[in-house]
Amino acid sequence: MLIIRSVKQLVKAIDRLKKEKKRIGFVPTMGFLHEGHLSLVRRARKENGCVVVSIFVNPIQFGPTEDFARYPRSISRDRQMLEKEHADILFLPEVNEIYPKGFNRYVQPGLLAKGLCGRKRPGHFRGVTTVVNRLFELVRPDRAYFGKKDYQQAKVIEAMVKRLGVKVKICLCELIRDFDGVAISSRNQYLSPEERIRAKALYQSLKKARRLIQSGIKDISHIRSELEAFLKAHVDQIDYVEIVNSENLKPLKRISGRVLVAIACFVGRTRLIDNRVIKG
Ligand code: PAF
């Protein structure tokens, strides 16, 4: 696996791959890799001649009181994991490579970023679309892989690509859960053993949502109150419980078609998100 730290070296390597007519599969990450990331890398490996993975903890997608400084980092472990998965290139840029002096090409995230995490984390999705667009310009991938764990992020990126006319296929991959149902996330490592047990409530509340919806209940405020009452008994703070249209992410009053049930909660100091698409 080739490790590249500078934009200059990366552009050269990508030029070479393009000349060789290799299809490039790209997995952008912030590192501290886990099974969720590896599932994206494996799919990219199957579907492309060359797999590029980036690890970059993007400062501009974190709010001033969020966990940028303590975000887990473990490059040597990540590197070993990627070598096992036969990734071809690991792009490991410093902040000044991604955002050189005078950088001002920020990308607005669009309407899909208005609700859910967008409302709770102002500026977050602008940071995501800006970095992902910048990485797409550098890596020039044919396909890029994102997990449904960050469902809103994936939808925001799909819409961005369409709006800007970027020629890349966005591949959405299934959310990966741990043995206890908790959605796998780099942030799970912040949880104490006691918090980890309480974190299961997010997944359990999504199962409850499915049962309620499939029993024919249509009134969303009723379903939300049931989920909130359940979550309150386990988590320290509910950031949001929302049920929205699964495509345009608009709030709904009644269940109709495929809905996204999306949850964000604090367990201890750790903010966890989870979601499930349910057919009404
Ligand atoms: O999902 C992530 O890890 C990040 O938001 C991403 C897409 C790598 C952009 O920094």
Side-chain angles (χ1 to χ4, degrees):
M1 183 173 70
L2 192 60
I3 300 196
I4 295 184
R5 293 176 194 275
S6 77
V7 162
K8 208 167 149 196
Q9 266 181 300
L10 180 73
V11 169
K12 257 196 200 162
I14 301 291
D15 281 346
R16 206 167 42 239
L17 291 167
K18 294 280 176 194
K19 251 195 209 141
E20 293 166 5
K21 303 234 176 303
K22 285 251 172 82
R23 288 240 181 265
I24 301 174
F26 178 42
V27 183
T29 81
M30 299 207 297
F32 206 75
L33 303 179
H34 50 62
E35 269 306 306
H37 296 115
L38 297 185
S39 72
L40 309 182
V41 176
R42 284 176 198 135
R43 180 158 163 208
R45 180 72 284 164
K46 258 196 215 145
E47 296 180 353
N48 303 277
C50 175
V51 176
V52 180
V53 178
S54 65
I55 295 182
F56 178 64
V57 185
N58 175 32
I60 69 166
Q61 71 184 72
F62 290 79
T65 60
E66 292 182 352
D67 56 344
F68 172 68
R70 67 180 188 120
Y71 195 84
R73 292 158 169 92
S74 173
I75 295 299
S76 61
R77 179 178 150 279
D78 290 351
R79 202 170 145 171
Q80 280 174 18
M81 289 166 100
L82 291 173
E83 274 177 351
K84 265 203 197 138
E85 300 301 334
H86 307 289
D88 298 287
I89 296 179
L90 168 58
F91 181 43
L92 261 181
E94 292 293 338
V95 175
N96 62 351
E97 291 285 330
I98 296 295
Y99 304 122
K101 218 166 167 229
F103 177 89
N104 63 1
R105 288 180 305 107
Y106 294 92
V107 177
Q108 292 308 325
L111 286 177
L112 293 177
K114 291 264 181 267
L116 307 176
C117 287
R119 190 155 46 79
K120 295 290 178 172
R121 302 182 67 191
H124 167 69
F125 284 119
R126 177 177 178 263
V128 170
T129 43
T130 300
V131 79
V132 170
N133 185 53
R134 172 91 175 117
L135 290 167
F136 282 174
E137 282 173 2
L138 299 172
V139 176
R140 289 170 274 157
D142 296 280
R143 301 187 183 89
Y145 296 82
F146 295 89
K148 287 188 191 163
K149 152 99 184 349
D150 297 297
Y151 189 95
Q152 185 180 19
Q153 165 174 282
K155 288 285 171 197
V156 164
I157 291 168
E158 257 183 358
M160 171 192 83
V161 158
K162 220 171 170 184
R163 201 173 58 243
L164 302 181
V166 183
K167 282 202 173 61
V168 56
K169 181 172 165 38
I170 302 299
C171 305
L172 301 190
C173 305
E174 287 313 313
L175 183 157
I176 307 291
R177 296 189 180 281
D178 224 329
F179 67 95
D180 54 0
V182 174
I184 295 186
S185 158
S186 305
R187 288 188 169 103
N188 291 350
Q189 68 103 33
Y190 297 147
L191 299 169
S192 70
E194 179 271 330
E195 288 168 347
R196 171 74 196 210
I197 291 170
R198 291 194 287 122
K200 289 194 281 192
L202 277 81
Y203 172 55
Q204 287 162 348
S205 70
L206 292 172
K207 288 211 294 197
K208 193 174 174 63
R210 184 159 172 261
R211 278 198 304 275
L212 292 170
I213 292 171
Q214 293 190 339
S215 76
I217 298 175
K218 298 283 180 205
D219 179 8
I220 284 181
S221 63
H222 173 84
I223 301 169
R224 278 180 61 184
S225 334
E226 293 258 337
L227 302 187
E228 281 169 5
F230 175 78
L231 283 164
K232 261 186 201 145
H234 301 276
V235 306
D236 294 294
Q237 191 194 322
I238 297 174
D239 210 19
Y240 65 74
V241 173
E242 300 274 5
I243 303 180
V244 299
N245 178 289
S246 66
E247 285 310 306
N248 60 26
L249 309 187
K250 285 200 176 139
L252 298 166
K253 285 210 164 71
R254 294 184 63 75
I255 299 289
S256 130
R258 284 159 67 82
V259 298
L260 173 76
V261 182
I263 294 173
C265 293
F266 284 89
V267 178
R269 284 172 64 203
T270 307
R271 185 176 184 275
L272 299 175
I273 58 171
D274 204 343
N275 71 76
R276 185 164 189 168
V277 173
I278 301 170
K279 171 110 186 54

